[in-house]
Amino acid sequence: MKAGLLSIIISILLAFATSTSTSHNLLCEKRTRILENGERSNKAKRSESPKEIVDNKNGCEDPLAAIMQTLQCIADGDGTCAGMGYAAGFQKIHNGIDTNLDFGDNPSAFWTFVLQMFVLSFSYDHRVNVGPNMASIRYIEGVQFNDGTSFGLPASDFYPFNSSYVQHEHALVTVDNDCKMTKWDQYGDNTEQNEVDDASAAFIGGLCDANVFPPEVCTVLLGGRRV
């Protein structure tokens, strides 16, 4: 689960996606090779989307199972499936600070884009339900950035393309009665997080340099953020 700068970047992208007209969407003609490629690949995976965890009037029956299903969707690279695990108004906290992550009304669009940027893997050493609608998860997260080919660019090993990182995190996760995540409250090493955030910003900068996004999007994204 990413924090800070990446959350802001993707929120801006989604804002452009929802504010532009049908004749001039977020990525203009470039949308076909970016979001729509991910959407097509996800359509084939929708049968693998997590089964709904039965809830009752007293809350979600098994919060941990629901959370783990969503994390497995993320690890599988299935943005559509991953988006199904989030409630409206989802909040992401990192070391006590609200990251201001805003999925808008389409968490699947967020994850479809993010999972084209990098592959996420999880190694768990602690997973338990800790109360009504709440679970605790401690894990090591692997982050492997794409080499650029997911966005129609030539394969590259030049930073940040094809770079990899590790993050050690512990999260207290809250779900609603429908077993969808409402809050992800994580603690982790800020240095590790900053490395990923910096690489994410550099990755977006590289896409802008390659004219993957329309100029008006990059003007907002790179205003004071290029690394």
Side-chain angles (χ1 to χ4, degrees), residues 9-202:
I9 288 172
I10 305 303
S11 294
I12 292 172
L13 287 171
L14 291 179
F16 269 91
T18 56
S19 65
T20 50
S21 68
T22 55
S23 61
H24 184 74
N25 56 47
L26 165 64
L27 302 177
C28 298
E29 290 77 13
K30 301 292 179 68
R31 184 179 189 278
T32 299
R33 72 179 182 188
I34 301 176
L35 289 182
E36 290 184 356
N37 284 346
E39 289 166 358
R40 282 197 294 269
S41 65
N42 283 336
K43 286 179 181 178
K45 297 179 181 179
R46 287 181 183 176
S47 61
E48 302 172 6
S49 296
K51 292 185 293 185
E52 185 176 339
I53 302 297
V54 177
D55 63 301
N56 54 53
K57 295 180 180 179
N58 296 320
C60 177
E61 181 177 340
D62 191 343
L64 180 61
I67 295 162
M68 295 305 298
Q69 286 180 343
T70 298
L71 292 178
Q72 187 60 51
C73 292
I74 293 171
D76 290 341
D78 190 339
T80 300
C81 173
M84 294 169 59
Y86 293 85
F90 171 79
Q91 184 182 30
K92 170 71 182 301
I93 308 295
H94 177 75
N95 288 347
I97 299 174
D98 191 336
T99 64
N100 296 312
L101 174 61
D102 182 6
F103 284 151
D105 61 357
N106 193 351
S108 294
F110 173 94
W111 282 112
T112 295
F113 179 82
V114 166
L115 294 173
Q116 286 183 266
M117 283 182 60
F118 45 64
V119 173
L120 297 178
S121 60
F122 303 95
S123 176
Y124 306 98
D125 62 7
H126 168 82
R127 295 175 288 181
V128 63
N129 285 318
V130 294
N133 288 18
M134 190 174 293
S136 174
I137 306 172
R138 188 170 62 239
Y139 56 94
I140 299 173
E141 180 182 52
V143 184
Q144 176 65 52
F145 277 83
N146 186 262
D147 61 4
T149 54
S150 285
F151 295 88
L153 303 178
S156 173
D157 290 328
F158 185 77
Y159 175 87
F161 297 99
N162 208 31
S163 59
S164 59
Y165 304 88
V166 173
Q167 296 181 282
H168 298 77
E169 298 175 340
H170 187 180
L172 186 63
V173 189
T174 305
V175 302
D176 61 17
N177 287 352
D178 293 322
C179 300
K180 294 183 182 294
M181 288 187 284
T182 60
K183 180 187 289 187
W184 185 283
D185 189 355
Q186 74 177 36
Y187 286 85
D189 184 271
N190 278 329
T191 298
E192 293 178 344
Q193 183 65 66
N194 290 339
E195 287 178 345
V196 174
D197 280 349
D198 288 347
S200 300

